[in-house]
Amino acid sequence: MTQPQPQIAVVTGASRGVGQGIAEALGAAGMTVYLTGRAAAQGGSTLYGQALHGSLEATAAAIDAAGGRGIPVFCDHADDAQVQALFARIEREQGRLDLLVNNAAFIHEQLIEPGPFWAKPLELVRILDIGLRSAYVASYHAAPLLLNSAQGLVCFTSSFGGTCYMHGPAYGAQKAGVDKLAADMAVDFEGSGVAALSLWLGPQLTERTRIAGANHGEQYEAFLSQAETPQFNGRVIHALLNDPQLMSLSGQTLISAELAPRYGISEAQGRQPPSYREMLGAPRVAHPARVV
């Protein structure tokens, strides 16, 4: 009996943090996961003087150990040619793509510091290049491969900062931007079997947030006590990809914590992370008008 082919995914920005955890969860579900990032090996990045661990090689090894297949690909998402080469490689090796998780973003050390945007380094604006523009470019090159899948998904990792003030205007514009990319790409994908969604993640339990929390005390302590693991969100994304009703959700911005119970997903010991809808706002609903 012929064994079904594993599903194929790309997770951008998977050297560490959210991307790493999402990729590991997809691997644990048996997927073949192409991992992109600039940290091919350990070391090099710091936050508040503390080293940030993680690498593409380590993520790939964790995926292999979980039962999937991890394929690390060094890719700077600021370089369109490298992104094009990534998807050309996937076309040669796989011929299709089932899932693209647009997660790569530029996160500046001063992002969560208090103060107006003009008092912070101008470099924070790079999140609009590596986070918004780069997600468009990756989706552009992924689209023909996704169309070869029985059911495909473009998923953008976003946050409540898409509607409320969070970390300043550059961060907010990037999150609002990927939410709109999902809404408009869904229109272009209509009838193709490919969905586009933006997913609002809650506070994430990563090495970066633990270091930031230690440097900001009570400001982050309450949030982190109820935070989500990136693996939790990876399981939600995998469930979305395989949901028979996926196309009915296409174009929407959804809240990960609200989707999890629908798919029977929880954290360890059955903990359900909360939604911050009441505190931080609800996703915007796109107007149905279309101007072509």
Side-chain angles (χ1 to χ4, degrees):
M1 184 175 179
T2 303
Q3 294 294 319
Q5 293 295 311
Q7 290 175 305
I8 311 299
V10 170
V11 180
T12 69
S15 299
R16 60 177 64 91
V18 172
Q20 180 184 45
I22 288 173
E24 288 177 1
L26 297 176
M31 296 186 71
T32 294
V33 188
Y34 285 80
L35 318 160
T36 75
R38 294 183 300 159
Q42 294 277 5
S45 295
T46 62
L47 179 64
Y48 300 126
Q50 297 186 49
L52 290 172
H53 301 90
S55 68
L56 291 176
E57 293 175 352
T59 305
I63 289 171
D64 292 346
R69 182 186 176 202
I71 303 175
V73 182
F74 178 89
C75 180
D76 183 348
H77 282 271
D79 185 335
D80 292 354
Q82 292 187 35
V83 177
Q84 182 179 17
L86 163 70
F87 290 99
R89 173 180 172 177
I90 296 170
E91 182 175 24
R92 292 193 305 270
E93 295 178 353
Q94 307 294 342
R96 76 176 206 283
L97 181 65
D98 302 297
L99 171 65
L100 168 63
V101 180
N102 279 308
N103 173 74
F106 174 79
I107 304 298
H108 194 278
E109 183 174 285
Q110 297 297 309
L111 176 68
I112 63 174
E113 295 301 316
F117 71 92
W118 61 86
K120 299 180 183 181
L122 180 58
E123 193 180 18
L124 268 73
V125 79
R126 289 189 63 203
I127 197 172
L128 300 180
D129 297 316
I130 308 168
L132 181 55
R133 184 185 182 279
S134 65
Y136 182 97
V137 173
S139 302
Y140 176 89
H141 290 294
L145 295 173
L146 289 160
L147 293 171
N148 291 337
S149 174
Q151 179 163 288
L153 173 62
V154 178
C155 182
F156 300 87
T157 58
S158 187
S159 85
F160 292 84
T163 56
C164 74
Y165 183 93
M166 185 178 289
H167 306 324
Y171 180 87
Q174 189 265 332
K175 298 308 180 187
V178 296
D179 293 350
K180 191 62 164 68
L181 286 183
D184 289 358
M185 287 181 183
V187 173
D188 287 349
F189 277 128
E190 265 185 2
S192 70
V194 178
L197 292 169
S198 194
L199 194 62
W200 280 8
L201 282 52
Q204 297 295 291
L205 285 172
T206 66
E207 185 178 35
R208 179 181 289 274
T209 58
R210 288 189 182 96
I211 294 172
N215 280 268
H216 289 80
E218 294 181 1
Q219 179 184 1
Y220 279 81
E221 185 176 347
F223 277 119
L224 292 181
S225 68
Q226 295 295 318
E228 303 161 1
T229 62
Q231 289 81 359
F232 169 85
N233 289 284
R235 294 195 295 273
V236 169
I237 293 170
H238 181 263
L240 280 166
L241 173 64
N242 292 283
D243 188 337
Q245 303 303 314
L246 173 62
M247 296 309 150
S248 69
L249 302 174
S250 189
Q252 297 183 42
T253 296
L254 303 171
I255 298 172
S256 186
E258 295 179 357
L259 287 171
R262 167 177 176 167
Y263 297 121
I265 295 169
S266 65
E267 294 282 13
Q269 287 78 52
R271 179 175 69 86
Q272 289 289 349
S275 167
Y276 292 91
R277 177 188 291 265
E278 295 302 318
M279 180 187 298
L280 300 177
R284 291 190 177 96
V285 177
H287 193 280
R290 297 182 180 183
V291 180
V292 296

